[in-house]
Amino acid sequence: MNKITNHMPTAELQALDAAHHMHPFSENAALAKKGVRIMKSAKGVWLTDTEGHKIIDGMAGLWCVNIGYGRKELATVAARQMEELAYYNTFFQTSHVPAIALAAKLAEVAPKGMGHVFFAGSGSEANDTNIRMVRRYWDIKGQPEKRIIIARKNGYHGSTMGGGSLGGMSGIHKHGGMIAGIVHIGQPDWWSEGGDHTPEAFGLARAQELEAMILQLGVENVAAFIGEPIQGAGGVIVPPSTYWPEIQRICDRYGILLIADEVITGFGRTGNWFGSQTFGIKPHIMTIAKGLSSGYQPIGGSIVCDEVAEVLGSHGDFNHGYTYSGHPVAAAVALENLRIIEEEGIIEHVRTVAHPYLKERWDALTEHPMVGEAKLVGLMGSIALTPDKARRAAFASETGTVGYRCRERCFANNLIMRHVGDRMIISPPLVITPEEIDILIDRAKTSLDECYAGLKRDGLFVARA
Ligand SMILES: *Cc1c(COP(=O)(O)O)cnc(C)c1O
């Protein structure tokens, strides 16, 4: 082995990766055999790997690089902040300029009445904060039995023990179990679970599962409901129009707290600052991370409504916090990211340029023989792959087999598009241009064609009985 440096040949890097690096959500033995693809640099919506391939990033990293890669302003701010004050905490009656400025800026862009921020290092951590926060809130209000949080099957809220338990993914629950006091209701996924209902009737029915669950558990035991305005990791599941108004009605009626997990849907992704605005949701708490810093620094947090913040702040210490809550470098970078989003009109760009342009092309993908529905809100989209559109049928093969094959074709065609089961999903940087959208769609079509031909060849274009 040569000396370990940053400039080694790909094969050597792959061997070192296989030997020493444990990958999240991956089967490391299989990955080691195959060899990872190693990214080297990036600019705008384009990644370059160690072999020099230019890859269009249809996922903005992990849904986070909203302003695109390679913005020097953020690097400059980070360097300056590291020199001035690399670290200080906010625990013991101290604060610092970046945390103060970022909290104030978030209060300005958040919906009215949500003027408070508790910082964390990630979305998972922020959701762990939320669990403790809503339970403590009810303690102080003299209702300590209100502890249960209702969440959704196939929701995603991170992968710490708290976040993973809020999430409704059985694969995560199986690895390490769940924390107590969290229950799950059905998801508003009409395409795969809606049966003969109209989307509207199904959306209503799934929302009413919340009411049934509250009544079953007893409202005196329920602290909060948590949901993503649009499920991201669950497959970009856009709820029917009836869903969120009914969830809101139920939360209001029973007086339980509503947590909107905006980790993906925040910061312009849906064409507004927050997905809650797009769907008319009035949350008490919003989870934020990802696009908060466009992924340039790890940072997350909870934006908290005035009432909850006041109750929480009025009865002694809130015994919770992270060493890196409001980290000055991360906060300074996030603030610069928000400045760019605002001053460059990036949310306007999503709403008036990128979304309408992509929408027409994305919807047209349903002309492809194996694309059933196409969904796109802002710049968050999905297509359902199916062998029989009329029946909304699943493939006979194990769920995810076809999606994985399609993703492999995308990868080979230098397009990053993820699969969740047999849905293909995109969430590109918000700065993507119409020319780049054309390239993304061209590569997606080529990949779908190749995948389709492969399924036919291998006898896999078959519906489940
Ligand atoms: C990614 C994600 C999280 C977890 O954020 P991390 O920063 O990975 O901990 C939580 N909620 C949603 C909706 C997410 O998409």
Side-chain angles (χ1 to χ4, degrees):
M1 181 73 61
N2 293 327
K3 194 160 158 267
I4 297 173
T5 70
N6 255 330
H7 307 283
M8 290 183 289
T10 302
E12 263 182 55
L13 288 166
Q14 286 172 323
L16 286 174
D17 188 88
H20 304 295
H21 183 191
M22 299 169 77
H23 288 257
F25 290 102
S26 304
E27 185 183 335
N28 279 284
L31 188 60
K33 209 180 288 167
K34 192 170 167 195
V36 289
R37 195 155 177 179
I38 303 165
M39 303 304 173
K40 189 76 172 37
S41 62
K43 183 98 192 142
V45 303
W46 295 95
L47 294 158
T48 305
D49 67 13
T50 45
E51 297 294 284
H53 297 111
K54 297 255 182 258
I55 307 158
I56 188 159
D57 186 4
M59 286 304 301
L62 277 178
W63 327 77
C64 52
V65 189
N66 287 11
I67 63 166
Y69 297 94
R71 291 294 303 246
K72 287 218 161 43
E73 300 91 326
L74 275 66
T76 304
V77 163
R80 202 186 299 142
Q81 186 59 47
M82 278 189 200
E83 287 177 16
E84 186 167 282
L85 181 70
Y87 175 75
Y88 203 70
N89 72 78
T90 54
F91 279 34
F92 305 116
Q93 305 180 35
T94 57
S95 197
H96 50 69
V97 178
I100 296 168
L102 182 60
K105 185 68 198 175
L106 287 168
E108 188 189 304
V109 299
K112 220 167 136 291
M114 302 196 76
H116 306 266
V117 185
F118 194 103
F119 287 114
S122 68
S124 304
E125 284 181 8
N127 278 326
D128 279 30
T129 297
N130 295 340
I131 295 171
R132 181 164 280 137
M133 195 180 275
V134 298
R135 289 177 175 171
R136 176 66 185 144
Y137 169 85
W138 290 114
D139 277 348
I140 295 172
K141 301 270 279 187
Q143 294 172 270
E145 286 77 36
K146 282 174 86 70
R147 290 180 67 77
I148 300 175
I149 301 171
I150 303 175
R152 285 121 30 111
K153 292 172 191 154
N154 200 35
Y156 187 76
H157 301 293
S159 101
T160 51
M161 285 306 296
S165 301
L166 289 173
M169 299 195 160
S170 54
I172 295 179
H173 299 163
K174 276 184 204 142
H175 293 183
M178 281 176 67
I179 67 168
I182 293 167
V183 300
H184 297 91
I185 58 173
Q187 59 169 334
D189 178 1
W190 175 78
W191 175 265
S192 27
E193 300 178 4
D196 295 332
H197 294 285
T198 63
E200 291 71 27
F202 180 71
L204 212 55
R206 279 289 152 96
Q208 285 164 356
E209 287 187 20
L210 175 60
E211 189 159 34
M213 184 59 88
I214 292 171
L215 294 173
Q216 183 193 322
L217 296 166
V219 67
E220 67 282 5
N221 298 311
V222 179
F225 170 78
I226 184 168
E228 306 153 80
I230 298 169
Q231 288 156 261
V236 185
I237 308 298
V238 180
S241 61
T242 46
Y243 182 77
W244 276 111
E246 184 66 2
I247 290 282
Q248 183 74 56
R249 180 192 71 76
I250 294 164
C251 290
D252 290 348
R253 166 151 189 213
Y254 294 94
I256 65 167
L257 297 174
L258 173 51
I259 308 167
D261 187 334
E262 295 266 8
V263 169
I264 291 174
T265 49
F267 307 103
R269 176 60 57 196
T270 70
N272 288 295
W273 275 103
F274 296 98
S276 289
Q277 295 157 328
T278 302
F279 287 92
I281 307 165
K282 298 209 175 331
H284 296 91
I285 298 173
M286 296 194 297
T287 319
I288 55 171
K290 294 191 173 125
L292 167 59
S293 67
S294 282
Y296 281 65
Q297 284 283 293
I299 182 169
S302 306
I303 302 186
V304 181
C305 74
D306 300 345
E307 204 246 334
V308 170
E310 274 155 30
V311 168
L312 216 67
S314 64
H315 275 70
D317 291 352
F318 176 45
N319 295 324
H320 179 74
Y322 307 105
T323 300
Y324 297 138
S325 283
H327 190 285
V329 178
V333 167
L335 188 65
E336 181 67 1
N337 172 59
L338 300 187
R339 183 192 68 73
I340 288 173
I341 290 176
E342 195 164 48
E343 287 183 11
E344 297 185 5
I346 289 175
I347 300 175
E348 275 293 281
H349 170 80
V350 171
R351 206 164 31 217
T352 61
V353 179
H355 170 81
Y357 193 83
L358 177 57
K359 172 91 176 128
E360 211 180 305
R361 279 151 191 79
W362 195 247
D363 285 351
L365 289 177
T366 56
E367 289 158 19
H368 195 279
M370 67 179 204
V371 177
E373 69 169 2
K375 291 284 180 189
L376 185 73
V377 177
L379 288 181
M380 194 175 172
S382 58
I383 49 178
L385 305 182
T386 174
D388 182 349
K389 302 183 194 199
R391 285 176 46 226
R392 309 205 306 274
F395 287 95
S397 49
E398 192 190 336
T399 303
T401 308
V402 172
Y404 181 79
R405 288 173 70 122
C406 185
R407 195 207 92 114
E408 290 289 276
R409 293 325 308 152
C410 294
F411 216 40
N413 290 315
N414 292 322
L415 163 65
I416 304 259
M417 178 155 75
R418 236 170 92 181
H419 80 104
V420 175
D422 295 327
R423 282 183 96 84
M424 302 305 299
I425 60 177
I426 55 161
S427 172
L430 305 184
V431 294
I432 193 168
T433 63
E435 297 71 36
E436 290 163 340
I437 288 171
D438 285 341
I439 297 170
L440 186 153
I441 293 290
D442 280 350
R443 291 185 184 181
K445 276 188 186 152
T446 304
S447 306
L448 284 166
D449 287 344
E450 292 172 1
C451 179
Y452 179 58
L455 293 175
K456 288 274 194 182
R457 183 193 62 219
D458 300 339
L460 287 171
F461 198 75
V462 179
R464 200 169 289 176

